[in-house]
Amino acid sequence: MQEYVIQIDFIDYPGLGYEIFKCTEQNNIDKIAMEVLPKHGMVIKFRCEIDGQVKKLMEDLKSVVGVNSLKFCAQMPYEEREHELRTILDSVSEGILAIDKEGKITHVNEVACKIFYFSPKELIGLGAEELLSPNSPILDTLQSGKTYKLKEQKIKIDEKIIHYLMSSVAVRNDQGKIIGAVSTIKDFHQVENIISRVGNMHRLTTFDDIVYQSQKMNQLIASARTVAKSSSTILLRGESGTGKELFATAIHADGPRYKAPFIAINCTALADTLLESELFGYDEGAFTGALRGGKRGLFEQANGGTLFLDEIGEISHRLQVKLLRVLQEGVIRRVGGNKEIPIDVRIIAATHRNLEDLLEKGEFRRDLYYRLNVIPLTIAPLRERKEDIPLLVQRLIRKICEKLDKPEVRLSRESLDLFMAQDWPGNVRQLENTLERLLNLTSATEITSEHVLTWTDLRDITSQITYKEEGENILQFELPSDGQCRPLKNIVAEVEKEVIKKVLKKYPSSRLAGQALGVSNTTILNKMKIHKIMYYLQR
């Protein structure tokens, strides 16, 4: 039998509906549905076996008094509305599930079906309590009218743990009576990925954000940009505070995985067992206190992206073995689990330790070392690239002033000289911390050397000047055998020249040399001219 839909436009009067239905009965028409259209008539859906019946019905309906026109339609008006609603529901990125006052599922979109691993036909008409837990937010909303926002839920369906966030609101009629409830559902793992990506947008540094002017940094960044294009494992080496994580984020941001998660962990921040469960995740029941359904580890969360393992030289032998297997096989196994999970993660490791020394002591596995040391990049300490300090100071002052919500200040030339003279064992981290302390404790618009020496632990370079070098006195003076000495002023001038030459050798700046000797930079310049001392001065 074939189905038909016709729309009947008419001028309404008492008994018209009866006349129309009498025509359908006389023509032996099997009516399926009928819908009245205000001010337009009605639409009837029916089926019949032969086309002749349809033609005869149309002729009879046209003869009914008050019927103005007849036309065939593709579907009923309610079916059109249902199709529009379905399109809208399927276009959103969240799962949507609606129930009636009996708790039966009436509407569900494709996203919700994927989350729960069911088809729409399997879910429509199913009791919500059969699908969800008895204390599900949507069921409580149906009973109490309470609204829920992002309530975390876990259910088990055919050995699968479904982890999601549910929001629910009551559906009320015109009289305010609850006639159903509707929920939005977010897959928890999808939320984790979104959070990771959004987080990356705010915290990831690119190579363009790194300030430098030294040749060493220029060569390093050129190399890092090149290797960023691949997915090979990178080992970042350098002293504490040189910016290894900054380089790791820049490499990720400049590579083909930049849209995927970047996840970082400091391997010294957690105890061995905690670090293992954090990296590899765990199955339900793996240990006391384990979450129901288990937990994904950082390798799974970073799948498709980059995992940054800081201070890799500190991990135990047991974890070294597990990490080696990940690098070799590309699979992980959760704590307490027996299922191998394939992962696609780029590893960037970092350490300030001398791994070669650890190899000799047997504290680090050689096979893991060779797996990690595919592309080694060494970040030079700040004392080896002091020409970067002025730019770093300028950038850090701007950053710290914004953080402290205070007007930007500047360092005097003498203050900058003091910063340039330090060895900075803590590197950029120490430099930033020193500047932040200084800017917190001073309100001047210009930071002088007096401020620096008062409020920081930077050393006064005058205390570093010594008049001995390698155990020998600077002044080598012997009394002649005949007792005839040169004039005192000549001897003093010779000593003065040697002192200035040695100080300039260590501090190639007239201001620094002057501060070291307790005189002005003008005095140093004049003495250099008098003694014909030729040095390239930085400032």
mmCIF file of all heavy atoms in Angstrom, residues 352-390:
data_model
loop_
_atom_site.group_PDB
_atom_site.id
_atom_site.type_symbol
_atom_site.label_atom_id
_atom_site.label_comp_id
_atom_site.label_asym_id
_atom_site.label_seq_id
_atom_site.Cartn_x
_atom_site.Cartn_y
_atom_site.Cartn_z
ATOM 1 N N HIS A 352 68.598 18.768 33.674
ATOM 2 C CA HIS A 352 69.761 19.605 33.979
ATOM 3 C C HIS A 352 70.922 18.734 34.448
ATOM 4 O O HIS A 352 72.023 19.228 34.673
ATOM 5 C CB HIS A 352 69.427 20.620 35.076
ATOM 6 C CG HIS A 352 69.345 20.015 36.444
ATOM 7 N ND1 HIS A 352 68.268 19.292 36.872
ATOM 8 C CD2 HIS A 352 70.234 20.014 37.487
ATOM 9 C CE1 HIS A 352 68.465 18.880 38.104
ATOM 10 N NE2 HIS A 352 69.659 19.288 38.499
ATOM 11 N N ARG A 353 70.666 17.415 34.568
ATOM 12 C CA ARG A 353 71.691 16.479 35.026
ATOM 13 C C ARG A 353 72.620 16.079 33.874
ATOM 14 O O ARG A 353 72.245 16.139 32.694
ATOM 15 C CB ARG A 353 71.042 15.212 35.598
ATOM 16 C CG ARG A 353 70.083 15.432 36.757
ATOM 17 C CD ARG A 353 70.812 15.675 38.064
ATOM 18 N NE ARG A 353 71.683 14.568 38.436
ATOM 19 C CZ ARG A 353 71.273 13.504 39.118
ATOM 20 N NH1 ARG A 353 69.994 13.376 39.476
ATOM 21 N NH2 ARG A 353 72.134 12.553 39.457
ATOM 22 N N ASN A 354 73.803 15.629 34.234
ATOM 23 C CA ASN A 354 74.743 15.091 33.255
ATOM 24 C C ASN A 354 74.411 13.612 33.073
ATOM 25 O O ASN A 354 74.789 12.763 33.885
ATOM 26 C CB ASN A 354 76.180 15.263 33.748
ATOM 27 C CG ASN A 354 77.193 14.868 32.686
ATOM 28 O OD1 ASN A 354 77.015 13.889 31.956
ATOM 29 N ND2 ASN A 354 78.265 15.643 32.591
ATOM 30 N N LEU A 355 73.650 13.292 32.029
ATOM 31 C CA LEU A 355 73.190 11.921 31.834
ATOM 32 C C LEU A 355 74.351 10.960 31.594
ATOM 33 O O LEU A 355 74.267 9.780 31.948
ATOM 34 C CB LEU A 355 72.206 11.860 30.665
ATOM 35 C CG LEU A 355 70.857 12.567 30.872
ATOM 36 C CD1 LEU A 355 69.957 12.335 29.676
ATOM 37 C CD2 LEU A 355 70.175 12.089 32.146
ATOM 38 N N GLU A 356 75.414 11.473 30.998
ATOM 39 C CA GLU A 356 76.571 10.598 30.748
ATOM 40 C C GLU A 356 77.195 10.130 32.069
ATOM 41 O O GLU A 356 77.610 8.968 32.200
ATOM 42 C CB GLU A 356 77.605 11.328 29.895
ATOM 43 C CG GLU A 356 77.176 11.554 28.447
ATOM 44 C CD GLU A 356 76.114 12.627 28.282
ATOM 45 O OE1 GLU A 356 75.988 13.472 29.206
ATOM 46 O OE2 GLU A 356 75.417 12.636 27.259
ATOM 47 N N ASP A 357 77.232 11.021 33.052
ATOM 48 C CA ASP A 357 77.731 10.620 34.374
ATOM 49 C C ASP A 357 76.802 9.594 35.012
ATOM 50 O O ASP A 357 77.251 8.636 35.651
ATOM 51 C CB ASP A 357 77.850 11.838 35.292
ATOM 52 C CG ASP A 357 79.071 12.687 34.958
ATOM 53 O OD1 ASP A 357 79.917 12.217 34.157
ATOM 54 O OD2 ASP A 357 79.177 13.808 35.481
ATOM 55 N N LEU A 358 75.483 9.804 34.829
ATOM 56 C CA LEU A 358 74.509 8.863 35.386
ATOM 57 C C LEU A 358 74.648 7.493 34.725
ATOM 58 O O LEU A 358 74.456 6.459 35.377
ATOM 59 C CB LEU A 358 73.092 9.396 35.195
ATOM 60 C CG LEU A 358 72.738 10.697 35.923
ATOM 61 C CD1 LEU A 358 71.285 11.087 35.652
ATOM 62 C CD2 LEU A 358 72.968 10.559 37.422
ATOM 63 N N LEU A 359 74.975 7.479 33.438
ATOM 64 C CA LEU A 359 75.193 6.198 32.742
ATOM 65 C C LEU A 359 76.363 5.448 33.369
ATOM 66 O O LEU A 359 76.286 4.234 33.610
ATOM 67 C CB LEU A 359 75.462 6.445 31.256
ATOM 68 C CG LEU A 359 74.315 6.960 30.388
ATOM 69 C CD1 LEU A 359 74.798 7.178 28.962
ATOM 70 C CD2 LEU A 359 73.149 5.992 30.393
ATOM 71 N N GLU A 360 77.445 6.173 33.608
ATOM 72 C CA GLU A 360 78.630 5.531 34.173
ATOM 73 C C GLU A 360 78.370 4.997 35.582
ATOM 74 O O GLU A 360 78.924 3.977 35.988
ATOM 75 C CB GLU A 360 79.798 6.527 34.199
ATOM 76 C CG GLU A 360 80.273 6.960 32.812
ATOM 77 C CD GLU A 360 80.704 5.774 31.954
ATOM 78 O OE1 GLU A 360 81.355 4.851 32.505
ATOM 79 O OE2 GLU A 360 80.379 5.767 30.757
ATOM 80 N N LYS A 361 77.509 5.685 36.325
ATOM 81 C CA LYS A 361 77.185 5.245 37.684
ATOM 82 C C LYS A 361 76.106 4.171 37.709
ATOM 83 O O LYS A 361 75.764 3.653 38.772
ATOM 84 C CB LYS A 361 76.716 6.446 38.504
ATOM 85 C CG LYS A 361 77.777 7.509 38.719
ATOM 86 C CD LYS A 361 77.190 8.711 39.453
ATOM 87 C CE LYS A 361 78.217 9.822 39.621
ATOM 88 N NZ LYS A 361 77.626 11.017 40.280
ATOM 89 N N GLY A 362 75.525 3.867 36.536
ATOM 90 C CA GLY A 362 74.470 2.873 36.474
ATOM 91 C C GLY A 362 73.126 3.385 36.944
ATOM 92 O O GLY A 362 72.210 2.598 37.237
ATOM 93 N N GLU A 363 72.950 4.702 36.998
ATOM 94 C CA GLU A 363 71.707 5.284 37.483
ATOM 95 C C GLU A 363 70.728 5.598 36.351
ATOM 96 O O GLU A 363 69.585 5.980 36.616
ATOM 97 C CB GLU A 363 71.999 6.562 38.277
ATOM 98 C CG GLU A 363 72.812 6.314 39.541
ATOM 99 C CD GLU A 363 73.162 7.596 40.275
ATOM 100 O OE1 GLU A 363 72.635 8.662 39.875
ATOM 101 O OE2 GLU A 363 73.955 7.545 41.237
ATOM 102 N N PHE A 364 71.187 5.454 35.125
ATOM 103 C CA PHE A 364 70.305 5.709 33.976
ATOM 104 C C PHE A 364 70.602 4.673 32.900
ATOM 105 O O PHE A 364 71.760 4.384 32.598
ATOM 106 C CB PHE A 364 70.532 7.126 33.428
ATOM 107 C CG PHE A 364 69.362 7.661 32.654
ATOM 108 C CD1 PHE A 364 68.297 8.257 33.300
ATOM 109 C CD2 PHE A 364 69.313 7.550 31.260
ATOM 110 C CE1 PHE A 364 67.208 8.762 32.590
ATOM 111 C CE2 PHE A 364 68.238 8.040 30.550
ATOM 112 C CZ PHE A 364 67.177 8.645 31.218
ATOM 113 N N ARG A 365 69.518 4.104 32.331
ATOM 114 C CA ARG A 365 69.675 3.026 31.348
ATOM 115 C C ARG A 365 70.231 3.564 30.024
ATOM 116 O O ARG A 365 69.767 4.596 29.512
ATOM 117 C CB ARG A 365 68.318 2.361 31.083
ATOM 118 C CG ARG A 365 67.740 1.628 32.276
ATOM 119 C CD ARG A 365 66.397 1.014 31.898
ATOM 120 N NE ARG A 365 66.537 0.062 30.809
ATOM 121 C CZ ARG A 365 66.671 -1.257 30.976
ATOM 122 N NH1 ARG A 365 66.682 -1.770 32.203
ATOM 123 N NH2 ARG A 365 66.780 -2.058 29.939
ATOM 124 N N ARG A 366 71.200 2.840 29.487
ATOM 125 C CA ARG A 366 71.794 3.249 28.218
ATOM 126 C C ARG A 366 70.780 3.169 27.077
ATOM 127 O O ARG A 366 70.748 4.041 26.207
ATOM 128 C CB ARG A 366 73.013 2.382 27.895
ATOM 129 C CG ARG A 366 74.216 2.670 28.771
ATOM 130 C CD ARG A 366 75.454 1.928 28.320
ATOM 131 N NE ARG A 366 76.583 2.277 29.167
ATOM 132 C CZ ARG A 366 77.352 3.337 28.964
ATOM 133 N NH1 ARG A 366 77.116 4.116 27.918
ATOM 134 N NH2 ARG A 366 78.359 3.600 29.784
ATOM 135 N N ASP A 367 69.949 2.102 27.071
ATOM 136 C CA ASP A 367 68.995 1.964 25.968
ATOM 137 C C ASP A 367 67.988 3.107 25.971
ATOM 138 O O ASP A 367 67.602 3.621 24.917
ATOM 139 C CB ASP A 367 68.287 0.603 26.017
ATOM 140 C CG ASP A 367 67.845 0.200 27.408
ATOM 141 O OD1 ASP A 367 67.907 1.047 28.321
ATOM 142 O OD2 ASP A 367 67.440 -0.965 27.586
ATOM 143 N N LEU A 368 67.557 3.546 27.170
ATOM 144 C CA LEU A 368 66.642 4.682 27.244
ATOM 145 C C LEU A 368 67.347 5.969 26.835
ATOM 146 O O LEU A 368 66.767 6.822 26.137
ATOM 147 C CB LEU A 368 66.064 4.808 28.654
ATOM 148 C CG LEU A 368 65.119 5.988 28.887
ATOM 149 C CD1 LEU A 368 63.920 5.930 27.944
ATOM 150 C CD2 LEU A 368 64.651 6.037 30.344
ATOM 151 N N TYR A 369 68.594 6.112 27.255
ATOM 152 C CA TYR A 369 69.370 7.301 26.887
ATOM 153 C C TYR A 369 69.437 7.462 25.370
ATOM 154 O O TYR A 369 69.226 8.561 24.840
ATOM 155 C CB TYR A 369 70.772 7.188 27.480
ATOM 156 C CG TYR A 369 71.756 8.225 26.968
ATOM 157 C CD1 TYR A 369 71.741 9.530 27.448
ATOM 158 C CD2 TYR A 369 72.703 7.885 25.986
ATOM 159 C CE1 TYR A 369 72.635 10.476 26.981
ATOM 160 C CE2 TYR A 369 73.607 8.821 25.518
ATOM 161 C CZ TYR A 369 73.567 10.119 26.014
ATOM 162 O OH TYR A 369 74.447 11.059 25.539
ATOM 163 N N TYR A 370 69.710 6.367 24.666
ATOM 164 C CA TYR A 370 69.813 6.455 23.208
ATOM 165 C C TYR A 370 68.456 6.722 22.558
ATOM 166 O O TYR A 370 68.383 7.351 21.496
ATOM 167 C CB TYR A 370 70.442 5.177 22.648
ATOM 168 C CG TYR A 370 71.878 4.990 23.080
ATOM 169 C CD1 TYR A 370 72.296 3.816 23.701
ATOM 170 C CD2 TYR A 370 72.812 6.008 22.874
ATOM 171 C CE1 TYR A 370 73.620 3.655 24.111
ATOM 172 C CE2 TYR A 370 74.130 5.850 23.279
ATOM 173 C CZ TYR A 370 74.527 4.682 23.898
ATOM 174 O OH TYR A 370 75.835 4.536 24.311
ATOM 175 N N ARG A 371 67.375 6.245 23.182
ATOM 176 C CA ARG A 371 66.031 6.514 22.662
ATOM 177 C C ARG A 371 65.636 7.978 22.852
ATOM 178 O O ARG A 371 64.930 8.548 22.026
ATOM 179 C CB ARG A 371 65.003 5.618 23.360
ATOM 180 C CG ARG A 371 64.999 4.176 22.880
ATOM 181 C CD ARG A 371 64.361 4.066 21.504
ATOM 182 N NE ARG A 371 64.322 2.690 21.027
ATOM 183 C CZ ARG A 371 63.792 2.322 19.864
ATOM 184 N NH1 ARG A 371 63.278 3.242 19.070
ATOM 185 N NH2 ARG A 371 63.797 1.065 19.487
ATOM 186 N N LEU A 372 66.097 8.564 23.954
ATOM 187 C CA LEU A 372 65.754 9.959 24.243
ATOM 188 C C LEU A 372 66.660 10.942 23.517
ATOM 189 O O LEU A 372 66.234 12.037 23.134
ATOM 190 C CB LEU A 372 65.842 10.221 25.748
ATOM 191 C CG LEU A 372 64.801 9.553 26.638
ATOM 192 C CD1 LEU A 372 65.136 9.787 28.102
ATOM 193 C CD2 LEU A 372 63.397 10.085 26.341
ATOM 194 N N ASN A 373 67.891 10.566 23.319
ATOM 195 C CA ASN A 373 68.907 11.475 22.795
ATOM 196 C C ASN A 373 68.932 11.489 21.268
ATOM 197 O O ASN A 373 69.984 11.641 20.661
ATOM 198 C CB ASN A 373 70.287 11.081 23.340
ATOM 199 C CG ASN A 373 71.269 12.230 23.286
ATOM 200 O OD1 ASN A 373 70.912 13.378 23.543
ATOM 201 N ND2 ASN A 373 72.512 11.936 22.937
ATOM 202 N N VAL A 374 67.765 11.348 20.655
ATOM 203 C CA VAL A 374 67.691 11.354 19.185
ATOM 204 C C VAL A 374 68.105 12.719 18.650
ATOM 205 O O VAL A 374 68.965 12.847 17.779
ATOM 206 C CB VAL A 374 66.263 11.001 18.717
ATOM 207 C CG1 VAL A 374 66.168 11.062 17.197
ATOM 208 C CG2 VAL A 374 65.861 9.625 19.225
ATOM 209 N N ILE A 375 67.484 13.774 19.186
ATOM 210 C CA ILE A 375 67.841 15.140 18.793
ATOM 211 C C ILE A 375 68.143 15.925 20.065
ATOM 212 O O ILE A 375 67.232 16.406 20.744
ATOM 213 C CB ILE A 375 66.708 15.826 18.002
ATOM 214 C CG1 ILE A 375 66.355 15.007 16.764
ATOM 215 C CG2 ILE A 375 67.119 17.242 17.616
ATOM 216 C CD1 ILE A 375 65.189 15.556 15.981
ATOM 217 N N PRO A 376 69.416 16.053 20.437
ATOM 218 C CA PRO A 376 69.766 16.819 21.641
ATOM 219 C C PRO A 376 69.892 18.314 21.324
ATOM 220 O O PRO A 376 70.489 18.698 20.312
ATOM 221 C CB PRO A 376 71.115 16.231 22.053
ATOM 222 C CG PRO A 376 71.714 15.733 20.770
ATOM 223 C CD PRO A 376 70.577 15.370 19.841
ATOM 224 N N LEU A 377 69.311 19.121 22.166
ATOM 225 C CA LEU A 377 69.435 20.576 22.047
ATOM 226 C C LEU A 377 69.878 21.114 23.400
ATOM 227 O O LEU A 377 69.230 20.854 24.421
ATOM 228 C CB LEU A 377 68.094 21.217 21.654
ATOM 229 C CG LEU A 377 67.520 20.851 20.281
ATOM 230 C CD1 LEU A 377 66.140 21.472 20.115
ATOM 231 C CD2 LEU A 377 68.444 21.323 19.155
ATOM 232 N N THR A 378 70.980 21.841 23.429
ATOM 233 C CA THR A 378 71.527 22.362 24.684
ATOM 234 C C THR A 378 71.306 23.868 24.752
ATOM 235 O O THR A 378 71.706 24.601 23.843
ATOM 236 C CB THR A 378 73.028 22.051 24.804
ATOM 237 O OG1 THR A 378 73.213 20.627 24.760
ATOM 238 C CG2 THR A 378 73.582 22.587 26.106
ATOM 239 N N ILE A 379 70.660 24.312 25.824
ATOM 240 C CA ILE A 379 70.385 25.740 26.030
ATOM 241 C C ILE A 379 71.514 26.315 26.881
ATOM 242 O O ILE A 379 71.745 25.870 28.010
ATOM 243 C CB ILE A 379 69.030 25.948 26.720
ATOM 244 C CG1 ILE A 379 67.928 25.238 25.926
ATOM 245 C CG2 ILE A 379 68.720 27.427 26.851
ATOM 246 C CD1 ILE A 379 66.573 25.258 26.600
ATOM 247 N N ALA A 380 72.195 27.288 26.354
ATOM 248 C CA ALA A 380 73.348 27.872 27.048
ATOM 249 C C ALA A 380 72.902 28.628 28.291
ATOM 250 O O ALA A 380 71.848 29.270 28.302
ATOM 251 C CB ALA A 380 74.094 28.823 26.113
ATOM 252 N N PRO A 381 73.689 28.576 29.372
ATOM 253 C CA PRO A 381 73.355 29.361 30.575
ATOM 254 C C PRO A 381 73.501 30.847 30.300
ATOM 255 O O PRO A 381 74.178 31.266 29.356
ATOM 256 C CB PRO A 381 74.376 28.872 31.604
ATOM 257 C CG PRO A 381 75.523 28.378 30.794
ATOM 258 C CD PRO A 381 74.925 27.803 29.543
ATOM 259 N N LEU A 382 72.896 31.644 31.153
ATOM 260 C CA LEU A 382 72.867 33.089 30.936
ATOM 261 C C LEU A 382 74.262 33.707 30.990
ATOM 262 O O LEU A 382 74.540 34.679 30.290
ATOM 263 C CB LEU A 382 71.962 33.733 31.998
ATOM 264 C CG LEU A 382 71.342 35.093 31.668
ATOM 265 C CD1 LEU A 382 70.627 35.070 30.332
ATOM 266 C CD2 LEU A 382 70.370 35.498 32.778
ATOM 267 N N ARG A 383 75.151 33.149 31.783
ATOM 268 C CA ARG A 383 76.494 33.718 31.896
ATOM 269 C C ARG A 383 77.288 33.570 30.600
ATOM 270 O O ARG A 383 78.285 34.271 30.403
ATOM 271 C CB ARG A 383 77.256 33.048 33.048
ATOM 272 C CG ARG A 383 77.512 31.575 32.865
ATOM 273 C CD ARG A 383 78.252 30.958 34.047
ATOM 274 N NE ARG A 383 78.363 29.507 33.903
ATOM 275 C CZ ARG A 383 77.435 28.658 34.276
ATOM 276 N NH1 ARG A 383 76.311 29.119 34.818
ATOM 277 N NH2 ARG A 383 77.593 27.364 34.112
ATOM 278 N N GLU A 384 76.846 32.656 29.704
ATOM 279 C CA GLU A 384 77.532 32.470 28.430
ATOM 280 C C GLU A 384 76.898 33.274 27.299
ATOM 281 O O GLU A 384 77.361 33.217 26.161
ATOM 282 C CB GLU A 384 77.556 30.983 28.062
ATOM 283 C CG GLU A 384 78.381 30.127 29.008
ATOM 284 C CD GLU A 384 78.385 28.661 28.615
ATOM 285 O OE1 GLU A 384 77.884 28.354 27.503
ATOM 286 O OE2 GLU A 384 78.875 27.826 29.396
ATOM 287 N N ARG A 385 75.851 33.991 27.616
ATOM 288 C CA ARG A 385 75.202 34.830 26.599
ATOM 289 C C ARG A 385 74.692 36.121 27.254
ATOM 290 O O ARG A 385 73.511 36.460 27.187
ATOM 291 C CB ARG A 385 74.052 34.069 25.928
ATOM 292 C CG ARG A 385 73.081 33.384 26.870
ATOM 293 C CD ARG A 385 72.050 32.552 26.115
ATOM 294 N NE ARG A 385 71.086 31.914 26.979
ATOM 295 C CZ ARG A 385 69.882 32.406 27.278
ATOM 296 N NH1 ARG A 385 69.507 33.564 26.750
ATOM 297 N NH2 ARG A 385 69.066 31.769 28.076
ATOM 298 N N LYS A 386 75.626 36.820 27.878
ATOM 299 C CA LYS A 386 75.247 38.008 28.646
ATOM 300 C C LYS A 386 74.686 39.122 27.767
ATOM 301 O O LYS A 386 74.004 40.021 28.259
ATOM 302 C CB LYS A 386 76.448 38.510 29.453
ATOM 303 C CG LYS A 386 76.799 37.601 30.627
ATOM 304 C CD LYS A 386 77.746 38.266 31.596
ATOM 305 C CE LYS A 386 77.932 37.393 32.841
ATOM 306 N NZ LYS A 386 78.806 38.030 33.851
ATOM 307 N N GLU A 387 74.981 39.065 26.482
ATOM 308 C CA GLU A 387 74.421 40.089 25.599
ATOM 309 C C GLU A 387 72.900 39.991 25.490
ATOM 310 O O GLU A 387 72.245 40.916 25.003
ATOM 311 C CB GLU A 387 75.046 40.006 24.209
ATOM 312 C CG GLU A 387 74.949 38.641 23.540
ATOM 313 C CD GLU A 387 76.171 37.774 23.769
ATOM 314 O OE1 GLU A 387 76.533 37.604 24.945
ATOM 315 O OE2 GLU A 387 76.754 37.288 22.778
ATOM 316 N N ASP A 388 72.313 38.863 25.958
ATOM 317 C CA ASP A 388 70.854 38.731 25.972
ATOM 318 C C ASP A 388 70.215 39.388 27.192
ATOM 319 O O ASP A 388 68.999 39.594 27.224
ATOM 320 C CB ASP A 388 70.445 37.243 25.967
ATOM 321 C CG ASP A 388 70.755 36.560 24.654
ATOM 322 O OD1 ASP A 388 70.840 37.266 23.628
ATOM 323 O OD2 ASP A 388 70.920 35.321 24.653
ATOM 324 N N ILE A 389 71.029 39.713 28.213
ATOM 325 C CA ILE A 389 70.476 40.218 29.470
ATOM 326 C C ILE A 389 69.694 41.528 29.302
ATOM 327 O O ILE A 389 68.592 41.658 29.843
ATOM 328 C CB ILE A 389 71.584 40.351 30.529
ATOM 329 C CG1 ILE A 389 72.048 38.963 30.954
ATOM 330 C CG2 ILE A 389 71.099 41.151 31.745
ATOM 331 C CD1 ILE A 389 73.175 38.957 31.974
ATOM 332 N N PRO A 390 70.215 42.540 28.579
ATOM 333 C CA PRO A 390 69.436 43.790 28.458
ATOM 334 C C PRO A 390 68.040 43.572 27.880
ATOM 335 O O PRO A 390 67.064 44.141 28.379
ATOM 336 C CB PRO A 390 70.305 44.651 27.532
ATOM 337 C CG PRO A 390 71.694 44.149 27.745
ATOM 338 C CD PRO A 390 71.557 42.680 27.957
#
